[in-house]
């Protein structure tokens, strides 16, 4: 009996919440990630930003017409590139890192009934779930034919053949810190259609406060993700979706 | 008075949190190239060396030396030394020896620039460990290969030596044993360069003999390549020598180098192959490598490559244990470096892993038929390791 009561209470609360102010939706978009670090004195070596994507759910609980809290459980690619140049041109590695991420934000909106602007601000936690490395390096045991005496060489691959790789990243528990915490801020516009659907487009910035590496060596050069996102999505107002538009 | 809603405080609060936490990122340390430190005092000398090792050394993945502990222990000790005091310079030499004693890199060698250390040996941890080990024995004399083997074992053949302008001497011997086993000995890997000289030289003559027999004879029962006492040398020799004996690429291991600054920032493992050369002939008879505790670097790598062949064998002793290839550090973003006070810290540029998945750096590669060094037999003109290799072929 107690169980039935508990189930009923839970169901009542959920449905009541849904009726009141809960919106759920999907979003997806383009990601550009930059790793805030440096290559030290590595010869002709630089880190560059790299593109990715994000896709996930949007959960929004509205307090009133201008304030809501929002959580976006999502998958996001925070990748970066390491590239060598000049004589070493052609040597590169893309680190394609996948994260499961949960931003939790205050959602402030302003403007008219249909078209409104909004600002999101809050924090996030992300878990580095997968990685892939893709690139080219010189293979010391794959020598090319000798350079004739009267010829000059223009690049490193003239000596050693390039080894192209595209493989799963193996996490190293001594080095890799897989949990990431940070701040998030964004802004955009949303458009309300028939009270049921709210379409939005947003630019967002994730500022990681967590080094991708554990603190495993003196003079460690930290690596922080700076992630820029352009995304769009749609929120469904469950109250209006299931109960009509009538107030 | 109208009360403000609690939610109106959220935005300013978030802004304050944002500003406070924005300062939570660690600073990016400036990393200077070891050679750029000014060696005006031992603080700088220590920092230059420690930084070079911290970022360039390729074996932190498997090395058991706690490099952070080295920093904590030795930085204050170096700070107390005076670089213009010969006694302190000697003390610094001892510290370098202690700091590096346990390093797994068996190529590792520090050569000092300070004139007060001109009469001191370079610091070579692998050599110091081997000298102290129970099984230590000296190298087999070069005269054993140059005189005894030709006289007692070869039925025909050639021998020769070449002195190069850099002050090195290369010795080589080739011949047949029992008419149909082809034997080759050489003291160092510089075969390709010496063969491609415009003028004839002693080693080239020996190489020509070996290659002619390899190419022209179809009655060979086996081949013995003797790299005992061979200190290694040019990587190019791997294909130059073994590439003439295979017609398909032979996968025998992997290499990886540093990519980032972190001690554990590596490239993926790239496969290591022996690549067939023009005019190569598929050798199906046994190829036996003769190697010993003084077979180093390319001598070990060549032994491993032959062992990866279905007809490959290895007779002798566990090798030295220095398998990581070396090039200039700019090529593979790691390895050897110099500082103002150290002429050269000689250390591998890449890590080598054998096809069985093991890294034999600091360990050495084991023979499939172990025959220990026997000084009494050698004095009597007998070579038990060579005889074991012959018994594998017969």
């Amino acid at each position: 009996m107690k169980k039935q009561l508990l189930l009923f209470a839970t169901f009542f609360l959920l449905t009541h919440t849904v009726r009141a102010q809960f919106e759920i939706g999907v979003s997806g978009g383009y990601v550009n990630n930059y790793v805030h670090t440096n290559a030290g004195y590595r010869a002709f070596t630089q880190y560059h930003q790299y593109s990715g994507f994000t896709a996930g759910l949007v959960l929004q609980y509205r307090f009133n017409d201008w304030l809501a809290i929002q959580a976006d459980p999502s998958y996001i690619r925070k990748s970066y590139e390491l590239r060598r140049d000049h004589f070493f041109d052609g040597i590169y590695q893309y680190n394609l890192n996948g994260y499961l991420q949960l931003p939790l934000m205050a959602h402030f909106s302003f403007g008219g009934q249909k078209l409104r602007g909004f600002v999101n601000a809050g924090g996030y936690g992300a878990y580095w779930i997968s990685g892939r490395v893709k690139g080219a390096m010189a293979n010391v045991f794959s020598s090319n034919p000798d350079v004739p005496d009267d010829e000059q060489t223009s690049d490193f691959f003239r000596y050693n053949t390039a080894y192209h790789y595209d493989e799963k990243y193996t996490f190293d528990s001594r080095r890799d810190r897989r949990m990431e915490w940070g701040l998030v801020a964004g802004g955009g516009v949303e458009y309300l259609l028939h009270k049921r659907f709210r379409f939005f487009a947003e630019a967002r910035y994730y500022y990681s406060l967590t080094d991708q590496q554990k603190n495993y060596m003196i003079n460690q050069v930290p690596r922080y993700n700076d992630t820029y996102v352009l995304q769009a999505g749609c929120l469904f107002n469950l109250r209006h979706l299931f109960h009509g538009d009538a107030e | 008075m109208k009360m403000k809603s609690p939610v109106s405080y959220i935005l300013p609060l978030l802004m304050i949190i944002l500003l406070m936490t924005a300062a939570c990122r660690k600073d990016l340390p400036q990393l200077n190239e070891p050679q750029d430190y000014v060696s005006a005092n031992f603080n700088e000398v220590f920092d230059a060396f420690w930084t070079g090792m911290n970022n360039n050394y390729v074996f932190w993945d498997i090395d058991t030396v706690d490099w952070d502990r080295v920093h904590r222990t030795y930085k204050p000790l170096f700070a107390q030394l005076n670089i213009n005091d010969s006694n302190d310079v000697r003390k610094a030499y001892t510290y370098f020896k202690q700091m590096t004693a346990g390093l797994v890199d068996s190529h590792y060698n520090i050569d000092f620039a300070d004139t007060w250390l001109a009469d001191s040996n370079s610091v070579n941890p692998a050599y110091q460990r081997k000298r102290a080990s129970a099984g230590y024995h000296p190298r087999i004399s070069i005269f054993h290969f140059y005189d005894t083997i030709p006289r007692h074992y070869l039925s025909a053949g050639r021998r020769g030596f070449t002195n190069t302008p850099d002050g090195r001497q290369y010795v080589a011997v080739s011949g047949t044993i029992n008419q149909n086993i082809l034997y080759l000995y050489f003291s160092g890997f510089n075969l390709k360069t010496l063969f491609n000289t415009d003028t004839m030289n002693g080693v080239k003559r020996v190489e020509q003999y070996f290659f002619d027999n390899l190419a022209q004879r179809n009655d060979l029962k086996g081949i013995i390549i003797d790299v005992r006492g061979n200190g290694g040398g040019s990587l190019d020799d791997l294909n130059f020598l073994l590439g003439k004996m295979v017609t398909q690429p032979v996968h025998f291991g992997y290499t990886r180098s540093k990519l980032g600054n972190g001690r554990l920032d590596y490239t993926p493992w790239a496969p290591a192959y022996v690549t067939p050369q023009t005019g190569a002939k598929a050798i199906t008879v046994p190829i036996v490598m003769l190697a010993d505790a003084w077979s180093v670097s390319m001598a070990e790598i060549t032994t491993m490559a032959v062992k990866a062949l279905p007809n490959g064998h290895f007779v002798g002793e566990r090798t030295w244990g220095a398998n990581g290839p070396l090039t200039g550090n700019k090529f593979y973003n790691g390895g050897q470096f110099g500082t103002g006070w150290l002429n050269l810290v000689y250390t591998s540029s890449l890590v080598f892993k054998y096809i069985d998945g093991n890294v034999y750096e600091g360990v050495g590669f084991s023979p499939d038929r172990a025959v220990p060094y026997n000084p009494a037999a050698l004095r009597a003109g007998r070579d038990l390791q060579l005889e074991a290799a012959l018994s594998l072929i017969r």
Side-chain angles (χ1 to χ4, degrees):
Chain A
M1 186 67 183
K2 266 186 179 178
K3 266 187 184 175
Q4 282 175 335
L5 270 173
L6 193 68
L7 276 171
F8 177 77
T10 310
F11 180 76
F12 176 80
L13 280 171
L14 280 174
T15 49
H16 179 76
T17 306
V18 162
R19 283 171 65 88
Q21 41 251 326
F22 192 62
E23 292 184 20
I24 186 166
V26 291
S27 70
Y30 168 80
V31 173
N32 191 285
N33 188 67
Y34 174 76
V35 67
H36 177 73
T37 186
N38 71 47
Y41 57 81
R42 297 273 171 240
F44 307 105
T45 306
Q46 297 95 32
Y47 287 90
H48 298 284
Q49 74 271 31
Y50 197 72
S51 300
F53 66 92
T54 182
L57 297 174
V58 182
L59 310 171
Q60 203 178 80
Y61 186 91
R62 290 190 164 270
F63 293 106
N64 51 44
D65 67 334
W66 63 273
L67 178 68
I69 56 168
Q70 184 172 318
D72 296 2
S74 49
Y75 173 84
I76 184 167
R77 276 280 186 89
K78 300 186 182 188
S79 306
Y80 61 89
E81 177 186 0
L82 189 145
R83 183 172 282 281
R84 302 191 73 187
D85 57 13
H86 285 78
F87 195 71
F88 302 97
D89 195 21
I91 295 175
Y92 69 95
Q93 180 169 294
Y94 301 142
N95 281 61
L96 311 170
N97 298 324
Y99 287 77
L100 277 183
Q101 183 162 274
L102 183 66
L104 192 61
M105 300 162 293
H107 177 89
F108 306 95
S109 58
F110 51 88
Q113 280 292 318
K114 291 248 176 195
L115 186 66
R116 294 173 69 81
F118 67 85
V119 172
N120 283 324
Y124 74 92
Y127 186 71
W128 187 2
I129 55 161
S130 64
R132 198 158 187 88
V133 286
K134 197 173 171 181
M137 60 190 264
N139 190 348
V140 76
F141 278 114
S142 292
S143 301
N144 279 322
D146 294 337
V147 180
D149 290 341
D150 60 346
E151 277 185 24
Q152 63 180 359
T153 49
S154 54
D155 64 274
F156 190 21
F157 290 149
R158 186 68 183 79
Y159 297 127
N160 295 128
T161 307
Y163 170 63
H164 293 273
Y165 54 90
D166 180 0
E167 58 190 61
K168 196 177 167 190
Y169 177 75
T170 308
F171 287 104
D172 189 326
S173 59
R174 295 166 297 179
R175 175 194 55 194
D176 294 321
R177 177 173 280 139
R178 300 180 68 176
M179 198 63 216
E180 179 177 304
W181 302 99
L183 302 171
V184 53
V189 289
E190 54 191 20
Y191 182 78
L192 185 66
L193 186 70
H194 300 313
K195 292 188 179 175
R196 290 191 179 98
F197 309 110
R198 187 190 304 276
F199 294 96
F200 67 88
E202 182 185 4
R204 194 178 279 183
Y205 171 55
Y206 293 93
Y207 178 87
S208 167
L209 295 169
T210 313
D211 185 356
Q212 286 180 345
Q213 308 152 96
K214 292 174 183 168
N215 194 16
Y216 80 98
M217 57 180 270
I218 293 174
N219 265 2
Q220 180 171 304
V221 182
R223 287 199 277 266
Y224 295 102
N225 282 320
D226 281 334
T227 314
Y228 302 87
V229 175
L230 286 175
Q231 63 181 358
C234 179
L235 279 161
F236 307 95
N237 187 314
L238 296 184
R239 181 182 174 190
H240 290 292
L241 201 63
F242 296 126
H243 302 280
D245 293 341
E247 289 294 327
Chain B
M1 195 173 122
K2 194 181 170 187
M3 287 283 287
K4 266 191 170 181
S5 160
V7 294
S8 63
Y9 296 106
I10 289 176
L11 185 60
L13 193 65
L14 279 170
M15 291 305 292
I16 291 166
I17 292 169
L18 184 83
L19 287 170
M20 284 171 67
T21 50
C24 289
R25 281 188 174 182
K26 289 177 271 185
D27 289 336
L28 298 178
Q30 184 181 339
L31 296 185
N32 297 301
E33 203 154 358
Q35 67 194 33
D36 291 342
Y37 286 80
V38 177
S39 305
N41 59 62
F42 271 120
N43 253 330
E44 294 284 304
V45 167
F46 175 81
D47 283 346
F49 169 72
W50 192 89
T51 301
M53 286 295 293
N54 198 39
N55 299 290
N56 278 23
Y57 186 67
V58 296
F59 294 110
W60 289 133
D61 189 26
I62 58 167
D63 210 300
T64 53
V65 172
D66 182 344
W67 201 238
D68 281 358
R69 189 189 61 77
V70 167
H71 192 277
R72 287 191 298 270
T73 308
Y74 286 92
K75 188 163 172 62
L77 293 177
F78 272 89
Q80 291 166 14
L81 302 179
N82 178 356
I83 205 161
N84 296 316
D85 180 327
S86 64
N87 287 327
D88 281 3
V89 168
R90 298 262 171 219
K91 208 179 271 183
Y93 174 84
T94 311
Y95 291 160
F96 273 103
K97 216 167 178 178
Q98 291 166 358
M99 285 191 290
T100 59
L103 292 175
V104 72
D105 182 0
S106 296
H107 274 113
Y108 197 84
N109 190 78
I110 305 177
D111 187 29
F112 296 87
D114 196 303
T115 49
W116 273 321
L117 296 175
D119 59 344
S120 304
N121 290 326
S122 60
V123 168
N124 187 319
Y127 178 64
Q128 284 148 14
R129 280 197 297 270
K130 281 171 201 295
R131 283 288 302 260
S133 70
Y136 176 79
H137 65 77
R139 263 176 226 263
I140 298 174
S141 162
I142 192 79
F143 297 109
H144 173 74
F145 302 102
Y146 200 68
D147 291 329
T148 310
I149 287 179
R151 194 164 59 243
H152 289 192
Y153 291 95
L154 301 189
S155 43
R158 287 239 165 89
R159 61 181 191 168
F161 63 88
T162 303
N163 296 321
T164 53
D166 60 0
R168 292 167 192 267
Q169 184 174 69
Y170 295 91
V171 177
V173 176
S174 184
T176 50
I177 301 172
N178 297 332
Q179 312 297 336
N180 53 16
I181 295 171
L182 187 58
Y183 172 86
L184 173 67
Y185 164 83
F186 50 103
S187 62
F189 281 83
N190 198 16
L191 298 173
K192 186 176 177 182
T193 304
L194 294 175
F195 191 81
N196 290 334
T197 53
D198 292 337
T199 53
M200 186 51 80
N201 62 61
V203 170
K204 183 173 177 174
R205 220 172 262 126
V206 172
E207 290 181 66
Q208 195 66 64
Y209 176 90
F210 177 77
F211 291 139
D212 287 348
N213 272 271
L214 194 66
Q216 291 159 14
R217 291 185 60 167
N218 293 315
D219 61 337
L220 292 175
K221 285 182 70 180
I223 293 164
I224 295 172
I225 301 173
D226 191 344
V227 291
R228 287 175 294 174
N230 189 313
S234 171
L235 282 179
D236 288 347
D237 282 4
L238 185 74
N239 290 336
F240 179 72
L241 179 62
L242 298 185
K244 291 184 171 65
M245 303 182 201
V246 295
T247 50
Q248 294 294 320
V250 180
H251 181 204
F252 70 99
Y254 308 85
T255 57
R256 70 176 181 184
S257 59
K258 291 293 294 291
L259 197 65
N261 293 305
R263 286 188 205 146
L264 301 175
D265 291 346
Y266 293 105
T267 63
W269 290 103
Y273 291 100
V274 176
T275 308
Q277 301 298 290
T278 311
K281 179 177 172 182
I283 302 294
T284 53
V285 295
I287 303 174
V288 185
M289 290 302 298
L290 267 180
D292 67 3
W294 287 91
S295 301
V296 187
S297 192
M298 266 301 287
E300 299 173 83
I301 287 168
T302 307
T303 302
M304 291 172 169
V306 167
K307 261 295 287 167
L309 293 167
N311 54 330
H313 304 275
F314 169 23
V315 173
E317 289 178 307
R318 184 187 286 268
T319 59
W320 180 271
N323 318 134
L326 275 120
T327 66
N329 78 43
K330 61 180 168 290
F331 293 107
Y332 286 93
N333 265 343
Q336 57 189 304
F337 62 93
T339 77
W341 204 70
L342 305 170
N343 273 334
L344 182 64
V345 177
Y346 188 75
T347 177
S348 300
S349 311
L350 302 109
V351 184
F352 178 78
K353 178 169 79 171
Y354 190 53
I355 198 166
D356 65 1
N358 292 317
V359 176
Y360 289 99
E361 187 71 36
V363 177
F365 194 57
S366 293
D368 40 324
R369 184 153 178 191
V371 185
Y373 170 80
N374 188 324
L378 287 168
R379 277 194 299 275
R382 282 194 65 191
D383 187 333
L384 301 183
Q385 290 169 330
L386 176 58
E387 288 177 17
L390 290 169
S391 70
L392 265 180
I393 295 171
R394 283 172 186 147

